[in-house]
Every structure is written in structure tokens, then in C-alpha cells.
């Protein structure tokens, strides 16, 4: 089950870089962050309304739980969504994918320092190193790819660190709260304030590019809404460190989609990266 969840996360999350490239031609990073959170919140709200079992649940938010969701919404949505959007305007997408590959390392370190469950051991770190090499082989960046502003690098590193903290917070969501309700709370807390602030700062002169709007809606529905159901469920089943490994699958899956749907060539780099990624996952799960 945990591998199926990881594959679903990789498939959904892997689409965001391509969609962001289309969206950022018409929207600012702030508009991207605000609207993807809002569309994700609307999607999850509709699902709760349509599913009788979820609709009947009453979730009581005490002070401790409210603080948890505020922290989770900030580290898993509001801050990193903006930072990734800004970072992609400053850096090559290949470099963004490589930097985000550090998320499992941050997660493992935090798990050992503040995590409440199983601590990360040496095999997790060995597996991460092998999978990260696979990521580098897949992208095969040139020196020109790494040209970019310091602020862009800082933004993506900040986003990676936020996501690592978010895994720690996810692990503290009480099991009595369903993944669907928890995901909606994550997005609800910041989506409306961000949307209001974006409109206040940039006005109501909205972009007219229909392609950008469609990409933004798809991004919000899947990569900002539904994907959180899989994230929370995976953390509950397999823990934060294993779940964070999905970041190594994201560029690999994106490449395979290009081979299947865009008739791109299946290169030796892709084959080596696939082997190294799978090997890294197997090492990570060694007892």
C-alpha cells in the first residue's frame, strides 16, 4: 500500500513543475500560491460534501489542534508554494528538481531530532544518497543550468526545509481526523487570506490566458488538494522519511510521461536513474 501511495504522490506532484511554467507566464508567484491553495480547498470541500461518511463527521478544533494546522498550512502550502513559484522564475526547472531532492535528507534529520516515531538509521541515509545520484543522472545538468540568482536558490532551499517540517507536523495529526478533513483544514486556513491579499496587492485585473487558468485549476485540484490525502495517509502508514522519498520519483515519473505521451526518447540516463531510484528505495527499507 505504501508504494502505491508513493506512486500516486509522484504522479500528481510531478506535474506541478510543467504546470507552473505555463502559469507563471501570466500569474505572479503570489497569485499562483493563492489560487492553487484556493482551488485545492474548494476541491476538498466538494469531496467532503459528496461523501456522506465524511459529511457527517464533526471535527472539534481545540487550541492545540488549531496551532498544529496553522503550522502545517504554513509549512506545507502557503510558504513553499510561494517560494517554489518565485524560485522557478529565477532558476532552471532542472536545478529546482535537484534542490528539492534534499527534502528526504532534511526530513530524516528532523525525524531524528524532533520526530515522534521511528528514527532514521544509516540505511535510510545510504538509500537517500543512491536515489539522489539517480536524480542527478536523470537530469544530467550542465554548468549553464546552475546559473541563477542567490535568492532563487535560497527560495527553493527554504521550500525544501518547509516541506520537511510539514512531514513532522503531519505525523502529529490525530488519527480520529480523516485525511480528507485534515487536508481541507491545511488549505482552508491560508487560502482565503492569501487570495484576498493577492487581489489587494495586484488588483482585479485578472489574466485572460485561458490555458494558464486551466493549468492553475488542475494544479490546485490535484497537486494542492487531492495529493494531500495521499501524503497524510502515507505518513500514517510508512512514516515521514519514507513518504519524503516521493521527491525522487517526481522528476523520474515526469520523464516517463514525456516518453509515453510526447514521444521523447528513452535514454540510458533514464534507465540508470530508474535502477538507482528503485535501489535507493530498497536500501532505505532494509531492516
Amino acid at each position: 500500500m505504501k508504494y502505491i501511495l508513493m506512486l500516486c504522490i509522484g504522479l500528481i506532484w510531478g506535474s506541478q513543475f510543467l504546470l507552473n511554467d505555463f502559469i507563471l507566464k501570466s500569474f505572479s508567484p503570489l497569485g499562483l500560491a493563492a489560487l492553487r491553495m484556493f482551488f485545492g480547498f474548494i476541491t476538498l470541500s466538494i469531496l467532503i460534501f459528496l461523501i456522506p461518511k465524511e459529511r457527517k463527521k464533526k471535527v472539534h478544533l481545540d487550541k492545540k489542534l488549531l496551532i498544529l494546522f496553522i503550522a502545517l498550512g504554513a509549512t506545507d502550502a502557503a510558504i513553499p508554494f510561494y517560494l517554489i513559484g518565485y524560485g522557478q522564475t529565477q532558476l532552471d526547472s532542472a536545478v529546482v528538481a535537484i534542490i528539492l531532492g534534499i527534502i528526504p535528507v532534511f526530513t530524516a534529520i528532523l525525524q531524528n531530532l524532533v520526530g515522534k516515531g521511528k528514527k532514521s538509521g544509516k540505511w535510510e541515509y545510504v538509500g537517500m544518497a543512491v536515489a539522489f545520484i539517480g536524480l542527478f543522472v536523470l537530469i544530467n545538468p550542465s554548468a549553464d543550468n546552475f546559473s541563477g540568482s542567490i535568492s532563487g536558490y535560497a527560495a527553493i532551499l527554504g521550500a525544501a526545509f518547509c516541506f520537511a517540517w510539514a512531514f513532522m507536523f503531519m505525523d502529529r495529526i490525530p488519527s480520529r481526523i480523516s485525511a480528507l478533513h485534515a487536508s481541507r483544514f491545511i488549505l482552508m486556513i491560508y487560502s482565503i487570506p492569501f487570495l484576498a491579499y493577492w487581489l489587494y496587492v495586484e488588483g482585479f485585473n485578472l489574466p485572460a490566458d485561458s490555458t494558464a487558468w486551466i493549468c492553475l485549476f488542475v494544479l490546485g485540484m490535484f497537486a494542492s488538494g487531492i495529493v494531500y490525502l495521499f501524503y497524510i495517509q502515507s505518513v500514517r502508514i510508512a512514516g515521514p522519511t519514507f513518504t519524503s522519498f516521493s521527491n525522487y520519483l517526481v522528476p523520474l515519473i515526469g520523464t516517463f510521461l514525456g516518453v509515453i505521451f510526447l514521444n521523447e526518447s528513452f535514454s540510458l540516463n533514464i534507465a540508470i536513474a530508474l535502477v538507482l531510484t528503485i535501489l535507493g528505495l530498497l536500501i532505505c527499507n532494509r531492516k
Side-chain angles (χ1 to χ4, degrees):
M1 182 62 178
K2 64 182 182 180
Y3 290 104
I4 294 175
L5 288 169
M6 176 178 282
L7 182 60
C8 290
I9 291 170
L11 284 169
I12 296 174
W13 201 248
S15 67
Q16 72 168 324
F17 300 109
L18 177 62
L19 293 173
N20 282 349
D21 282 339
F22 283 108
I23 295 166
L24 289 169
K25 293 176 182 177
S26 301
F27 289 86
S28 67
L30 179 61
L32 167 64
L35 286 168
R36 70 179 287 183
M37 281 192 292
F38 179 71
F39 288 141
F41 165 64
I42 294 299
T43 299
L44 298 177
S45 297
I46 292 173
L47 286 176
I48 288 175
F49 177 78
L50 293 176
I51 302 173
K53 181 181 177 181
E54 296 290 341
R55 188 171 66 244
K56 293 176 181 178
K57 289 181 179 178
K58 303 296 181 182
V59 180
H60 174 66
L61 283 180
D62 55 27
K63 182 179 178 181
K64 183 178 179 181
L65 196 54
L66 181 59
I67 292 174
L68 175 63
F69 280 122
I70 290 174
L72 188 48
T75 55
D76 206 28
I79 297 175
F81 286 175
Y82 173 77
L83 291 177
I84 289 175
Y86 173 76
Q88 278 199 254
T89 66
Q90 305 294 313
L91 302 175
D92 191 283
S93 293
V95 177
V96 173
I98 289 175
I99 296 174
L100 290 178
I102 205 73
I103 292 175
V105 178
F106 284 157
T107 304
I109 293 172
L110 288 174
Q111 181 68 10
N112 283 340
L113 293 175
V114 300
K116 70 170 190 175
K118 176 188 173 185
K119 304 302 181 183
S120 301
K122 64 178 181 180
W123 292 115
E124 279 87 354
Y125 288 106
V126 172
M128 288 175 208
V130 173
F132 188 79
I133 293 171
L135 174 65
F136 211 88
V137 169
L138 172 68
I139 296 174
N140 191 26
S142 65
D144 291 336
N145 289 127
F146 285 94
S147 61
S149 68
I150 297 298
S151 62
Y153 282 98
I156 302 303
L157 276 172
F161 193 60
C162 282
F163 283 133
W165 268 109
F167 285 123
M168 299 299 105
F169 294 135
M170 280 185 190
D171 204 23
R172 287 169 166 76
I173 298 175
S175 57
R176 61 182 173 83
I177 300 178
S178 70
L180 185 52
H181 276 278
S183 301
R184 186 179 69 158
F185 278 126
I186 292 171
L187 296 173
M188 178 180 69
I189 293 173
Y190 289 95
S191 61
I192 303 301
F194 254 66
L195 187 63
Y197 181 68
W198 169 61
L199 293 173
Y200 172 76
V201 171
E202 301 186 16
F204 287 83
N205 187 21
L206 303 179
D209 186 352
S210 59
T211 301
W213 277 103
I214 292 172
C215 290
L216 193 47
F217 181 73
V218 172
L219 180 71
M221 179 185 295
F222 291 99
S224 304
I226 293 175
V227 74
Y228 283 114
L229 303 179
F230 299 131
Y231 264 124
I232 293 174
Q233 198 63 29
S234 179
V235 168
R236 287 175 171 175
I237 293 173
T241 302
F242 179 86
T243 302
S244 69
F245 255 72
S246 61
N247 290 280
Y248 294 132
L249 290 181
V250 168
L252 187 61
I253 289 175
T255 303
F256 269 102
L257 292 176
V259 171
I260 296 171
F261 295 107
L262 301 178
N263 295 319
E264 296 177 353
S265 60
F266 185 88
S267 65
L268 179 62
N269 282 38
I270 298 175
I272 294 174
L274 176 62
V275 171
L276 289 173
T277 301
I278 294 174
L279 181 61
L281 288 171
L282 293 174
I283 294 173
C284 182
N285 282 277
R286 176 171 175 170
K287 303 298 183 183

